[in-house]
Amino acid sequence: MTSSIRVAAAQMTSINDLAANFSTCSRLVKEAASAGAKMICFPENFSYVGAADGDSLKIAEPLDGPIMKGYCSLARESSMWLSLGGFQEKGSDDAHLRNTHVLIDNAGNIKSTYSKMHLFDVDVPGGAVFKESSFTEAGKKIVALDSPFGRLGLTVCYDLRFPEIYQQLRFHHGAQVLLVPSAFTKVTGEAHWEILLRARAIETQCYVIAAAQAGKHSEKRESFGETLIIDPWGSVIGRLPDRVSTGLAVADIDFSLLGSVREKMPISKHRKPLDF
């Protein structure tokens, strides 16, 4: 593993058109490669955002279906690692799917998957009502894995509000980089998005890569945007200037900085057991 490696986080406005979204992802992969990035992180629901209730269930597929095979080919053809946050994976019955974060290596192989644990059942103040659990099976397993970009911790969107999963990823699973693909609502994003991401980076001393959906997907749905990359000191080192545009934030994962932050403030040694 080199001392630093470049990554990109994508911002996009996915719609209810699988082919159009794949075309956008393909273009962003090429832009990331041109910028020198070796991994690109896509937001939750990168491949599809339905216009009506139930649309996502209709297009849900297993991981060996044609949708994910297309993205595996994209990774292989571009020699790029892909973090695909929030794929509509077919569930255990026709009434449910899994909101699955899929990590693909640069040879086009699925290296790991994580199913979203915390489901968004919220009446957003001044906004829409969401009940993700009505059609989604919650995951039960924390996932971290080694990669050329350090040890990655996989999460999805609403997980961000639950610091326990990030504490587990850092202190029990050795994570160095936390991936938070999201589709935050406009109301909650304006209030809490950046501060939560920076808090997760500071309290775990990890890099945080937060790829975001942005803008209006349909008449019923709008996402906040503001794709960010944050270092282990909590500083924003990558930000897409336009909160609602399609594009990339690019930054370097610097393993010497990560080591320095952890050495100078050794919170892993100072933590108390949960039953203190």
Side-chain angles (χ1 to χ4, degrees):
M1 193 162 62
T2 58
S3 61
S4 70
I5 191 163
R6 184 158 293 178
V7 297
Q11 183 167 289
M12 62 190 294
T13 309
S14 296
I15 57 173
N16 60 338
D17 186 326
L18 289 162
N21 296 328
F22 184 79
S23 177
T24 299
C25 290
S26 299
R27 174 168 59 82
L28 290 169
V29 165
K30 290 176 183 174
E31 290 180 15
S34 296
K38 303 300 181 185
M39 175 172 71
I40 179 170
C41 301
F42 285 101
E44 185 182 27
N45 301 331
F46 64 98
S47 63
Y48 188 84
V49 172
D53 294 343
D55 282 357
S56 292
L57 281 171
K58 294 174 186 174
I59 60 93
E61 282 188 1
L63 293 174
D64 61 356
I67 297 173
M68 192 52 62
K69 281 184 177 177
Y71 284 91
C72 287
S73 295
L74 179 61
R76 183 171 59 252
E77 290 161 8
S78 60
S79 295
M80 182 83 74
W81 282 64
L82 305 183
S83 160
L84 302 173
F87 173 67
Q88 291 96 349
E89 181 187 4
K90 192 166 179 56
S92 58
D93 58 54
D94 289 340
H96 292 87
L97 54 77
R98 283 184 283 272
N99 190 338
T100 301
H101 186 161
V102 183
L103 194 75
I104 303 174
D105 70 13
N106 58 348
N109 303 307
I110 294 177
K111 297 296 289 184
S112 191
T113 63
Y114 160 78
S115 293
K116 185 179 183 182
M117 285 186 178
H118 301 96
L119 302 182
F120 193 58
D121 291 358
V122 176
D123 184 350
V124 177
V129 177
F130 295 86
K131 193 165 179 60
E132 191 175 16
S133 66
S134 67
F135 61 91
T136 306
E137 300 172 2
K140 298 181 174 65
K141 184 180 177 185
I142 288 175
V143 175
L145 71 154
D146 292 320
S147 79
F149 316 94
R151 188 157 175 81
L152 304 176
L154 275 56
T155 69
V156 179
C157 198
Y158 192 48
D159 287 333
L160 180 61
R161 291 188 180 273
F162 302 89
E164 298 90 348
I165 187 174
Y166 297 93
Q167 296 284 307
Q168 287 277 331
L169 282 166
R170 160 73 208 273
F171 297 110
H172 296 281
H173 295 269
Q176 297 170 304
V177 179
L178 303 170
L179 305 181
V180 194
S182 296
F184 252 57
T185 70
K186 189 170 185 289
V187 173
T188 58
E190 287 174 345
H192 300 144
W193 172 244
E194 181 174 335
I195 196 168
L196 283 171
L197 290 165
R198 293 182 71 186
R200 297 295 89 88
I202 293 164
E203 69 198 11
T204 63
Q205 299 173 319
C206 287
Y207 281 90
V208 171
I209 304 176
Q213 289 284 351
K216 295 203 77 170
H217 309 280
S218 64
E219 288 303 312
K220 293 184 176 181
R221 186 160 180 182
E222 183 176 4
S223 294
F224 176 66
E226 196 161 43
T227 288
L228 298 171
I229 302 174
I230 301 165
D231 76 13
W233 191 242
S235 301
V236 175
I237 57 170
R239 185 195 301 266
L240 204 64
D242 183 345
R243 191 175 57 72
V244 296
S245 69
T246 295
L248 299 173
V250 178
D252 294 329
I253 303 295
D254 183 342
F255 297 103
S256 61
L257 172 67
L258 186 140
S260 174
V261 167
R262 293 182 176 187
E263 182 181 351
K264 290 176 179 176
M265 192 174 290
I267 59 175
S268 61
K269 295 179 183 177
H270 299 156
R271 290 178 78 243
K272 303 295 183 186
L274 288 177
D275 59 357
F276 77 93

